[in-house]
Amino acid sequence: MGRVPQRCLRKLAVRPVTARTDTNALPGTSRAGRSLYWRYMVEPFLYLSPAIVLIGTIILIPLIIGISYSFQSIEILNPFATGWVGFENYVDLWSDRRFWIALENTFWWTFWSVSFQFFLGLGLALLLNTHFFGKKLFQALVFLPWAVPTFLSALTWAWLFNPTIGPLPHWMAALGILDEPYNIMGDPDPALWGPIVANIWFGVPFFAITLLAALQSIPGELYEAAEIDGASPWQTFTKITLPFLAPMIAITVMLRTIWIANFADLIFVMTGGGPANSTQILSTYIFTTAFRRLDFGFASTIAVALLAILLIYAVFVLWLRKRLVKI
Amino acid sequence: MSVTRSNPILTVGKYLALSGYLVFALFPLYWLVKIAITPDRLIFTEGTDLWPSSTTLDNFRTVIFQTDFMAFFGNSLYVSLGTAAVTTLIAAGAGYAFSRFDFGGKKVIVAIMLITQMFPLLMIIAPIYKIVSSLGMLNSLTSLIVVYTAFNIPFATFLMQSFFDAIPKDLEEAAMMDGCTRFQALRKVIVPLTLPGLGATLGFVFTAAWSELLFALMLISDNASMTFPVGLLTFVSRFSVDWGQMMAAGSLALIPSCLFFIFIQRYLVQGLTSGAVKG
């Protein structure tokens, strides 16, 4: 879920419909009319219908219901308070201090996670695009974090940050980052860095895989030509590699940003949003509101707000990309 | 890129960077296993050493034989395998339709599938909970399979489509010339050729279902039908001092995903490359 859609998304975005030549001829020939009707209107849907039905009933209908919840009061623990309340939830949201804290945390969480994942992933992809001994094994091992279930990554890193059984606080104390070995996730100031580090660990392989695929599709002749012309490695990188990677980078970073902003598992398991909401991001706030307080109306309101923010972001990035490409 | 051919400093730097990545990737997993095999009496004295002075498999034994873990494991296996099988079957159909047909509404359906990959799935956690509970399906593993299947279909469909795209249309057209119906051609000619693709899709979906936590947490509260993530989390919050056992349980949870990963990882870059050509 959400883990690797990039390639396919991209592929479809780049060439949404490959060949539509036959559509004009559709109503014409009467002899073939019936079979064309069959081919274009019926047969594809025989293969598609299970997927459409499931997505419709399990995702789309609940999505609409969810949006309608944001205009209702639905508290499972307080069944008498149920009913339509108009924009009351949104008014509450606007004056909810925790919402604004969570919004700010969402920004930093996403910003630092994506930045580190991207630069470390790019570095790894560049390394993997060279030749060295034992590359296949190295690649398999270095991609392994990506296969680790998220709840387990979260627990493992929570343990690593625990001074009783984890080495990290002791190392950080030895390096002078901490005064004494304590758990940074118990201290509101640095707490968010715990889940961010876990997220970086988990997400670097993904960026590396995507960028490596893009690197491997750059024609080798370009590098040969550059070498003949006496280009330095840095020139080769900035003049050939980066321009070729740029479209892939743009789309991957955008999708990853959205995905990470939605990604609640790590924080929920590692800190539960605490201490004092210092690691609460919008998606964990949605989940805790729904799961612990069973206040479905308010949870849906936060979700709608998050969706709106992400939509604005996506539109902005696409607009920016269009502008930049024009110039 | 032949950066390394000339400069020895660059070569050293490159191997340093490679080992840095390797340590970063593997150290947490190493630590997980290390604590799991550390005897209980040594955890507080040698918990932060790189290797304990003696090792034991007691923690694994306790977890496997004296807790509910095998039941959680079984539940997760059932849910993940069920999800993987159903999703792959449905996605293969949808992917085939996308790959071989042009039809009205294709663009719309593709767009909807893309959108489902972007919006916060948590948004539907409340409605799903209400629907499932009004159907009396809370604590049912089947409801988890249905929900996970829906979540995974879009991605699995795009994946299957790219595998079908790689197979020439001529093959099934030839079979249809020879009198096969399209479905027979699909079954007898195309499916055998996409077996690796089907395997990869199964693997992806299995791993996704294996690690899903939040919906399982919401929909399952009964101890007997907990999946592995939910069980492990409950275990952790209930017995938060038994480090050795928790890590042993964690190490066990790694096994299925790692097995699948080893199987699918060679398709990752290979498959991505063919799709990325049009930069």
Side-chain angles (χ1 to χ4, degrees):
Chain A
M1 291 191 253
R3 271 191 174 184
V4 201
Q6 261 71 345
R7 166 170 87 98
C8 310
L9 292 183
R10 203 173 137 276
K11 204 170 155 189
L12 287 157
V14 173
R15 43 185 183 98
V17 172
T18 37
R20 291 208 65 139
T21 43
D22 295 346
T23 28
N24 297 334
L26 202 151
T29 49
S30 60
R31 187 172 53 86
R34 223 186 89 89
S35 98
L36 273 174
Y37 179 78
W38 169 257
R39 275 208 61 179
Y40 286 92
M41 296 311 294
V42 181
E43 206 179 359
F45 289 97
L46 288 181
Y47 294 97
L48 262 176
S49 50
I52 295 176
V53 168
L54 261 176
I55 291 177
T57 49
I58 310 289
I59 299 184
L60 295 182
I61 293 175
L63 179 66
I64 295 162
I65 298 177
I67 293 172
S68 84
Y69 278 3
S70 71
F71 298 102
Q72 298 175 55
S73 167
I74 301 183
E75 295 174 45
I76 302 299
L77 299 176
N78 185 7
F80 298 107
T82 305
W84 293 89
V85 293
F87 284 91
E88 198 178 289
N89 284 327
Y90 289 92
V91 175
D92 289 347
L93 189 71
W94 186 261
S95 55
D96 181 14
R97 207 174 53 85
R98 280 201 280 178
F99 169 72
W100 297 104
I101 296 174
L103 185 61
E104 196 192 330
N105 287 336
T106 306
F107 175 78
W108 291 117
W109 151 259
T110 312
F111 177 78
W112 289 119
S113 300
V114 173
S115 311
F116 277 103
Q117 284 184 3
F118 169 68
F119 284 109
L120 289 174
L122 180 63
L124 183 57
L126 289 171
L127 283 171
L128 283 173
N129 203 32
T130 62
H131 297 286
F132 55 87
F133 178 72
K135 182 173 150 184
K136 273 194 173 158
L137 182 67
F138 175 83
Q139 183 172 315
L141 290 176
V142 96
F143 284 168
L144 195 59
W146 184 75
V148 175
T150 29
F151 68 95
L152 195 58
S153 318
L155 287 173
T156 307
W157 279 96
W159 291 329
L160 284 173
F161 277 112
N162 185 311
T164 319
I165 47 157
L168 294 182
H170 302 276
W171 292 353
M172 284 190 286
L175 288 172
I177 303 171
L178 299 180
D179 302 332
E180 50 172 341
Y182 69 93
N183 192 339
I184 60 161
M185 286 183 298
D187 179 357
D189 274 339
L192 193 56
W193 282 98
I196 290 177
V197 170
N199 196 10
I200 295 167
W201 180 76
F202 174 71
V204 165
F206 180 83
F207 263 102
I209 292 169
T210 328
L211 294 174
L212 179 60
L215 277 175
Q216 289 182 345
S217 66
I218 301 177
E221 305 94 70
L222 290 177
Y223 290 110
E224 284 160 26
E227 206 173 3
I228 292 168
D229 292 346
S232 71
W234 177 249
Q235 281 174 322
T236 320
F237 179 71
T238 52
K239 297 270 153 57
I240 300 176
T241 312
L242 273 188
F244 261 91
L245 284 187
M248 191 66 162
I249 290 175
I251 197 93
T252 315
V253 167
M254 183 189 91
L255 292 173
R256 251 355 234 187
T257 306
I258 293 175
W259 195 79
I260 287 173
N262 288 333
F263 184 34
D265 302 40
L266 278 179
I267 293 185
F268 180 75
V269 174
M270 290 178 80
T271 65
N277 289 314
S278 59
T279 57
Q280 193 78 277
I281 63 169
L282 287 175
S283 55
T284 56
Y285 194 28
I286 298 170
F287 185 70
T288 41
T289 309
F291 177 65
R292 293 214 196 291
R293 290 170 33 200
L294 292 176
D295 186 344
F296 288 175
F298 198 61
S300 298
T301 313
I302 311 168
V304 172
L306 176 58
L307 182 64
I309 292 166
L310 292 176
L311 268 180
I312 293 169
Y313 167 79
V315 169
F316 173 73
V317 171
L318 291 176
W319 173 80
L320 201 69
R321 206 183 119 171
K322 218 173 168 186
R323 285 284 300 250
L324 291 178
V325 169
K326 247 183 223 164
I327 297 162
Chain B
M1 292 215 297
S2 50
V3 185
T4 52
R5 202 182 296 161
S6 46
N7 198 331
I9 301 171
L10 275 179
T11 314
V12 173
K14 180 174 130 183
Y15 280 95
L16 276 179
L18 287 174
S19 31
Y21 275 109
L22 202 59
V23 171
F24 182 54
L26 294 184
F27 181 75
L29 301 176
Y30 159 75
W31 202 260
L32 188 73
V33 178
K34 192 220 89 169
I35 296 279
I37 59 170
T38 305
D40 278 346
R41 61 192 159 83
L42 293 180
I43 280 195
F44 291 97
T45 50
E46 298 179 9
T48 54
D49 292 357
L50 279 180
W51 188 251
S53 55
S54 69
T55 59
T56 173
L57 290 177
D58 279 352
N59 290 320
F60 287 96
R61 232 168 271 142
T62 319
V63 164
I64 292 175
F65 296 112
Q66 289 167 25
T67 64
D68 290 335
F69 266 98
M70 290 326 275
F72 299 155
F73 209 87
N75 287 340
S76 256
L77 212 57
Y78 171 71
V79 169
S80 308
L81 284 176
T83 308
V86 179
T87 307
T88 306
L89 193 67
I90 295 177
Y96 182 75
F98 282 158
S99 172
R100 291 297 195 262
F101 296 100
D102 276 317
F103 51 89
K106 184 173 176 179
K107 266 186 178 174
V108 178
I109 297 170
V110 170
I112 288 176
M113 284 200 173
L114 289 179
I115 290 167
T116 61
Q117 297 289 295
M118 313 257 272
F119 79 84
L121 276 180
L122 277 177
M123 205 165 165
I124 58 174
I125 202 164
I128 292 268
Y129 179 86
K130 282 211 85 168
I131 295 170
V132 170
S133 76
S134 66
L135 292 173
M137 297 269 285
L138 287 179
N139 289 318
S140 125
L141 294 176
T142 315
S143 67
L144 275 189
I145 294 182
V146 174
V147 170
Y148 291 173
T149 301
F151 289 170
N152 283 299
I153 282 176
F155 173 63
T157 298
F158 296 136
L159 200 63
M160 282 312 301
Q161 184 196 356
S162 70
F163 286 115
F164 284 125
D165 281 346
I167 297 171
K169 271 186 182 181
D170 313 356
L171 285 177
E172 76 223 77
E173 272 160 17
M176 284 155 78
M177 290 284 195
D178 292 346
C180 282
T181 64
R182 180 179 281 277
F183 187 72
Q184 282 171 328
L186 173 64
R187 196 162 53 90
K188 291 187 181 146
V189 182
I190 306 299
V191 168
L193 287 171
T194 45
L195 280 182
L198 288 169
T201 311
L202 272 173
F204 274 114
V205 179
F206 180 91
T207 357
W210 184 264
S211 39
E212 207 286 327
L213 169 68
L214 300 180
F215 277 80
L217 211 54
M218 197 82 188
L219 298 177
I220 306 282
S221 53
D222 180 11
N223 214 42
S225 41
M226 279 182 182
T227 58
F228 205 90
V230 182
L232 191 60
L233 206 63
T234 323
F235 188 72
V236 168
S237 46
R238 215 179 287 160
F239 312 96
S240 56
V241 281
D242 209 329
W243 300 111
Q245 287 184 25
M246 291 194 306
M247 301 235 185
S251 311
L252 290 175
L254 265 180
I255 297 170
S257 342
C258 285
L259 286 181
F260 266 98
F261 182 68
I262 291 165
F263 173 65
I264 61 175
Q265 73 100 12
R266 62 196 159 117
Y267 295 111
L268 285 176
V269 176
Q270 194 188 344
L272 284 163
T273 315
S274 57
V277 176
K278 299 188 178 167

